[in-house]
Amino acid sequence: MPYKMNFNDRCYQILKTIPLGKVTTYKSIAQKLNSKAYRAVGNAMNKNPHDPNLYPCHRVISASGNIGGYAHGTEAKKERLKSEGIIIEKGKIDLNKFEFRIN
DNA sequence: CGGTTGACCAAGT
DNA sequence: GACTTGGCCAACC
C-alpha cells in the first residue's frame, strides 16, 4: 500500500475486508485505525466515492446493534443485510453472532 | 482559523 | 425503554 492515505481511504480499505454475511461497527473501524473518530467513519461512509458493490458500506452498523444510517435509505440497508443472511430482529442485529472482528 | 455538521458512543435520567 | 448530555474527530465552510 502507498505510504499515505487519508482517513477516508483507510476506512474504505477496511470496508473491503468485511466478508459476506458479517457486519462491523463504526467503532470497530475507528479502533482499527487507532482512533476514536467514530463519527468521522460515518461521514466517510456517507460520502463513499467508490462503487458500493466493491465497498459494502451497508455492512457497517452502530455499536449498539442498531442499523445506523444509509445513504440510500435505512430500509434498503436492512433488506440488503437480510438478503446476505443477517438476522434483524426488532431493528437490531446480534453482534455476538454477526460482528466481524477485525484482526 | 473558528464554527458547524454528522450513517457515533457511553453513561445518566 | 425512550430521551438527554457530554465527549469524540475528520471534513467542510
Side-chain angles (χ1 to χ4, degrees), chain A residues 66-87:
Chain A
N66 288 314
I67 301 305
Y70 193 52
H72 307 291
T74 305
E75 288 307 314
K77 182 172 179 178
K78 284 200 223 171
E79 290 306 312
R80 203 148 175 186
L81 289 169
K82 279 204 259 178
S83 74
E84 294 184 356
I86 292 165
I87 298 168

Side-chain angles (χ1 to χ4, degrees), chain A residues 37-90:
Chain A
Y38 316 126
R39 308 185 84 147
V41 173
N43 282 321
M45 297 304 103
N46 190 26
K47 299 174 190 163
N48 179 13
H50 302 282
D51 182 352
N53 291 307
L54 267 59
Y55 296 78
C57 41
H58 61 278
R59 294 191 195 137
V60 185
I61 65 171
S62 60
S64 49
N66 288 314
I67 301 305
Y70 193 52
H72 307 291
T74 305
E75 288 307 314
K77 182 172 179 178
K78 284 200 223 171
E79 290 306 312
R80 203 148 175 186
L81 289 169
K82 279 204 259 178
S83 74
E84 294 184 356
I86 292 165
I87 298 168
I88 302 173
E89 46 183 317
K90 302 189 168 105

